[in-house]
Amino acid sequence: MTHRHRRPPRILYLAFFFPPSRASGVYRARATANMLATHGWDVTVLASPLRFLHEVIGSVDEGLAETVDPRIHVERPELNLFAWEKDIRRFSRFRRAMPTLARSLYFLGQRRLFPEHYSSWGFNAVRRALKLHMRKRFDVVLATGNPFASFMAAYLFHKLTGVPYVIDNRDSWTLDLFADAPAHPPKHPVWKWENRILRDASGASFVNEALRSWHAERYPRYADKMMVIPNGWDPDLLSVLTDEVPGADVAFNRPLRFTYLGIISNAQPLEELVSSWETARRHPTLADAELHLYGHLGFFHHGKGVIRDRLGLGGTQATEGAGDNGIHYRGAVSKTDVGRVYEDSDVLVFMAGGAKYVTSGKIFEYMAAGHPIVSVHAPGIAATEVLDGYPLWFNANSLDPQEIAETMIAAGKAARDMTPQLRAAARLHSQKYSREKVLAPLDAKLRAVIGWPIPVANGSPTDSTSAMPMGKP
Amino acid sequence: VTQQKTHATDRVAVISFAEEPSNRLKKHVHFLISRGIHVTVVSTTSASWEEFQTVPHLQVTPMRRHEYRHPLNRTEYLLVDVVPGKIMSFAERATETRLGRPLRNPVRSGRRMQRKLSRVVHYRIYNKLYQLVRPRVMSKIARNKLDGLRHTRFHRIIAGDTTAFTLGWHLAKLNPEAIATTSLDEEPYADLPVLPNIPHPVLRTDDQPGRSVS
């Protein structure tokens, strides 16, 4: 052990969406930071300004902020809200007086500097990171996207200081996941940025093998740096889950309770869900069954009306029932309370938009709950890789409402016939996707980058370079 | 975000100085008037809002005439078009005399050059620079010429495009209680009853959906 190994390794984690944000990717960032702190890292997170979370996207889960390890130091660089500010009174004097010029200059910056509305946050993050680095040196930088300004910040910080960086592609930057095609035209500056960021990165992780392969094919020279770090479920947030079964001790005669939990967005097959549900509910097994929808409508606080219409909910109340088809919208649930929602459910509905590159972070929690899972998504999405082998998975492998309805009925029957042993077997399948297990290779990778040994409970530290798993874990 | 209770008697100012308002804006104005909201549209021309002319609670205030007469535009017209044109006309007349006849061809080509140059200066130089100051010009015209705007109490001020920001901000100062926004939020009025017989908006076919950053 060298002299510098007597202090904890110091990491700068660039994660724009970090608690109290409730954005879909925040759970991975929270778990990563917590894991690093637990594994002995001195963690500093640069995250989004709170005003952006509270006033612009309006997506905050204060309960989640309390689950962040207190050893983690969080700083919040400023973000220019030009693209989001709607209140004319809050415009700068320059923008009020010369709005056309202000707009032209803003877009010039987007074209010439970095093509993303979050770029100002990236530049401010570099400035803040340099100040922190001068006080106490960082050993490595980990950046998660989106937004991908965090990758740019890691790259610039590396250029200025030489500190190595690893990027975590929580989302795809240049691939349109839903259209399965490049997200930008060939001459777009984003391609240059992605190339230079991958060229200088010490590692790049992706959430599934399909995404890793797509990038490896596009950048074969950097393929050996790429690895898969799948999403997972967080045991600390699902501690209320048990192997018990609702009808194990008494006759299970009450109506079944189906649940969808997650963000409800326009990219999902909402009409297919409603149609198949109404068909399935005519079967005696699902008589009087209820479908409870938990989660925010859309990613932002505007644009909820279209989703409501597509679900046939109508009205503007936060939570409501739709009438006689048994669909109830229950609103958002704090991440710290989702365990109770899973525990009170009989069947979970896994609805996802997009095609083969989409995994969805939610599916890992679904499996951890140990209930029957009904798939409502296009065939062949990446999530089916992790569901494969789950004993209570009911997949129509189609978006045909009639076929989905049949799997809903089959799942309903399985819920009525459930035993504690079957639920325990289902939950066992999810164990390999607990956060601790899926993030371990990332810890090893970061230690390998800086040549730091992996601490072990007993005996001497192991050499991290030999412990580093690459490619598919 | 300022929260405000809404009523059918609310008065909304919609400002749009684009040659053709976007489809999103037209749909929003239709949404507002179909809920009985009194709307004042401050626009370049009234032609873009013709389909709503029978709606009694919609008032369209065109600005094109005032804009043409603004000293900045008049001066440019005078210097770039009228004065050079007059000089060339004078020269052309001079070539009609016996003494000036040999200069007829050079003066004719000079006339053509002058027209071409005037067009280049107007479209390629002046117009581009004018777009930068147009928000201020339009705002000043509206405040000086449109008394109704100054004396109406608005509950919501909507800037429908970038050029409208400056006037939107001045109206916001005159109406400190009003919401001044670029957002076309329907939620505050969604629960109001829908009026019958409101004409449908005539939409552009060349509009680009999803333009968000103003």
Side-chain angles (χ1 to χ4, degrees):
Chain A
M1 187 182 281
T2 62
H3 175 71
R4 72 176 185 139
H5 294 159
R6 288 180 195 155
R7 67 167 173 83
R10 188 158 191 247
I11 187 167
L12 173 67
Y13 187 26
L14 297 163
F16 184 87
F17 291 111
F18 197 74
S21 165
R22 65 145 182 95
S24 58
V26 78
Y27 309 111
R28 185 175 171 100
R30 181 200 78 102
T32 303
N34 280 352
M35 177 276 291
L36 291 169
T38 308
H39 287 210
W41 290 81
D42 175 1
V43 185
T44 298
V45 178
L46 296 188
S48 60
L50 289 175
R51 191 189 152 205
F52 178 79
L53 302 180
H54 285 280
E55 295 179 18
V56 178
I57 58 172
S59 62
V60 174
D61 183 346
E62 295 293 353
L64 197 62
E66 290 161 19
T67 65
V68 174
D69 192 308
R71 290 169 291 186
I72 295 168
H73 176 63
V74 182
E75 298 226 359
R76 298 183 180 276
E78 281 303 307
L79 168 71
N80 179 3
L81 295 179
F82 188 99
W84 296 278
E85 187 59 83
K86 304 280 183 198
D87 187 344
I88 298 169
R89 288 192 176 89
R90 284 185 167 177
F91 286 1
S92 67
R93 182 187 286 266
F94 174 59
R95 192 178 184 191
R96 284 185 322 229
M98 306 284 276
T100 321
L101 184 59
R103 185 180 191 275
S104 300
L105 292 174
Y106 179 78
F107 280 105
L108 184 72
Q110 295 279 298
R111 281 196 305 274
R112 299 280 177 205
L113 299 175
F114 189 76
E116 193 174 65
H117 293 310
Y118 300 89
S119 58
S120 62
W121 179 83
F123 294 120
N124 289 330
V126 174
R127 211 162 50 189
R128 186 74 63 90
L130 286 172
K131 274 187 190 167
L132 295 168
H133 186 65
M134 283 197 293
R135 270 184 242 150
K136 197 174 167 191
R137 192 187 145 75
F138 289 111
D139 295 303
V140 67
V141 178
L142 174 63
T144 182
N146 67 39
F148 301 98
S150 60
F151 292 0
M152 175 267 284
Y155 168 81
L156 291 182
F157 187 70
H158 165 73
K159 284 285 175 197
L160 293 168
T161 61
V163 174
Y165 66 93
V166 172
I167 56 170
D168 178 26
N169 287 269
R170 201 186 64 235
D171 197 356
S172 175
W173 190 5
T174 50
L175 169 66
D176 183 337
L177 299 179
F178 298 103
D180 191 2
H184 305 278
K187 299 277 181 193
H188 197 278
V190 81
W191 297 108
K192 267 188 186 170
W193 271 105
E194 187 173 63
N195 184 59
R196 61 170 74 119
I197 285 167
L198 278 171
R199 182 194 64 209
D200 286 6
S202 299
S205 64
F206 299 86
V207 291
N208 57 48
E209 179 53 28
L211 272 173
R212 194 202 67 82
S213 303
W214 190 86
H215 286 83
E217 272 173 35
R218 215 167 180 92
Y219 301 99
R221 279 185 299 167
Y222 317 133
D224 60 338
K225 300 179 187 178
M226 298 176 185
M227 61 196 294
V228 175
I229 302 289
N231 283 317
W233 61 281
D234 303 290
D236 60 322
L237 297 175
L238 298 175
S239 54
V240 297
L241 293 177
T242 66
D243 291 340
E244 286 174 21
V245 174
D249 48 350
V250 290
F252 188 3
N253 293 324
R254 63 168 172 78
L256 288 167
R257 188 182 173 103
F258 284 58
T259 296
Y260 169 82
L261 195 153
I263 288 175
I264 303 166
S265 81
N266 271 318
Q268 292 170 324
L270 304 178
E271 287 84 0
E272 286 86 348
L273 172 72
V274 174
S275 173
S276 54
W277 170 255
E278 288 173 347
T279 306
R281 207 163 171 261
R282 291 187 206 119
H283 193 275
T285 309
L286 268 67
D288 297 325
E290 293 178 339
L291 171 58
H292 296 264
L293 306 174
Y294 292 89
H296 290 272
L297 296 176
F299 292 98
F300 304 106
H301 60 72
H302 48 78
K304 296 173 182 170
V306 178
I307 298 172
R308 284 183 169 281
D309 291 345
R310 289 183 63 198
L311 283 168
L313 291 173
T316 56
Q317 296 304 307
T319 60
E320 66 213 57
D324 58 0
N325 68 356
I327 298 179
H328 300 268
Y329 174 58
R330 297 297 187 196
V333 188
S334 168
K335 188 74 174 177
T336 49
D337 296 330
V338 296
R340 177 56 51 201
V341 172
Y342 288 128
E343 198 56 23
D344 291 344
S345 304
D346 300 313
V347 178
L348 298 171
V349 177
F350 175 53
M351 176 173 61
K356 66 176 180 179
Y357 298 102
V358 177
T359 303
S360 169
K362 200 56 62 186
I363 193 57
F364 301 97
E365 282 183 1
Y366 273 36
M367 292 191 299
H371 293 302
I373 297 174
V374 177
S375 275
V376 182
H377 51 69
I381 71 169
T384 56
E385 281 175 27
V386 294
L387 274 163
D388 202 19
Y390 183 74
L392 296 169
W393 181 30
F394 296 85
N395 182 22
N397 211 24
S398 154
L399 274 175
D400 178 53
Q402 187 59 43
E403 290 181 35
I404 297 171
E406 284 166 20
T407 57
M408 282 178 172
I409 294 163
K413 284 178 182 164
R416 289 205 185 278
D417 299 338
M418 187 71 124
T419 62
Q421 292 74 22
L422 196 52
R423 192 174 178 196
R427 293 190 67 200
L428 191 64
H429 176 84
S430 71
Q431 288 307 312
K432 60 183 169 189
Y433 295 109
S434 74
R435 285 281 191 200
E436 200 176 329
K437 287 198 173 129
V438 297
L439 289 175
L442 183 63
D443 178 37
K445 172 71 184 171
L446 291 165
R447 286 175 186 274
V449 166
I450 58 172
W452 213 285
I454 297 172
V456 287
N458 51 352
S460 60
T462 57
D463 178 8
S464 57
T465 48
S466 60
M468 181 183 69
M470 295 295 291
K472 195 172 178 178
Chain B
V1 178
T2 317
Q3 293 297 320
Q4 182 181 288
K5 205 169 180 182
T6 55
H7 304 279
T9 52
D10 274 8
R11 192 170 278 278
V12 175
V14 176
I15 312 161
S16 168
F17 294 132
E19 279 303 307
E20 287 282 331
S22 68
N23 287 346
R24 283 181 66 234
L25 188 66
K26 283 194 100 171
K27 283 182 191 168
H28 188 66
V29 168
H30 174 260
F31 171 86
L32 293 173
I33 56 178
S34 64
R35 263 106 187 134
I37 306 296
H38 291 258
V39 178
T40 299
V41 174
V42 185
S43 178
T44 310
T45 69
S46 55
S48 315
W49 306 91
E50 229 168 21
E51 64 269 34
F52 300 133
Q53 64 182 350
T54 55
V55 179
H57 51 283
L58 173 75
Q59 184 195 349
V60 179
T61 311
M63 303 264 293
R64 167 69 36 92
R65 194 166 51 92
H66 298 297
E67 188 181 11
Y68 279 158
R69 289 179 180 177
H70 188 270
L72 192 66
N73 289 325
R74 286 176 76 110
T75 307
E76 187 263 348
Y77 178 61
L78 210 68
L79 293 179
V80 175
D81 219 59
V82 177
V83 172
K86 291 272 186 207
I87 292 169
M88 293 314 295
S89 297
F90 177 77
E92 270 180 339
R93 277 200 303 278
T95 60
E96 285 164 11
T97 63
R98 195 164 60 87
L99 206 65
R101 199 165 295 154
L103 294 171
R104 183 178 288 173
N105 283 344
V107 168
R108 273 187 188 163
S109 52
R111 174 70 159 182
R112 280 197 298 275
M113 283 291 289
Q114 176 264 317
R115 283 182 178 147
K116 199 172 172 183
L117 197 65
S118 292
R119 275 201 301 274
V120 168
V121 170
H122 178 74
Y123 288 107
R124 297 214 182 148
I125 301 171
Y126 176 75
N127 265 6
K128 282 190 177 169
L129 293 173
Y130 178 64
Q131 289 308 314
L132 302 180
V133 294
R134 189 168 180 244
R136 296 194 78 154
V137 170
M138 299 303 269
S139 173
K140 197 146 195 176
I141 294 170
R143 284 179 290 144
N144 291 343
K145 305 283 182 189
L146 310 178
D147 275 351
L149 271 188
R150 273 189 303 180
H151 298 122
T152 307
R153 184 174 166 255
F154 292 108
H155 299 86
R156 183 176 286 261
I157 297 150
I158 298 170
D161 52 53
T162 310
T163 315
F165 290 176
T166 311
L167 177 58
W169 181 71
H170 280 288
L171 284 184
K173 274 209 303 187
L174 293 172
N175 297 268
E177 300 295 314
I179 290 174
T181 182
T182 61
S183 165
L184 306 180
D185 187 8
E186 295 184 349
E187 213 165 294
Y189 303 106
D191 292 335
L192 294 176
V194 181
L195 302 180
N197 303 327
I198 299 292
H200 285 284
V202 177
L203 301 178
R204 290 163 58 177
T205 51
D206 61 337
D207 198 21
Q208 294 172 347
R211 289 176 301 174
S212 57
V213 180
S214 303

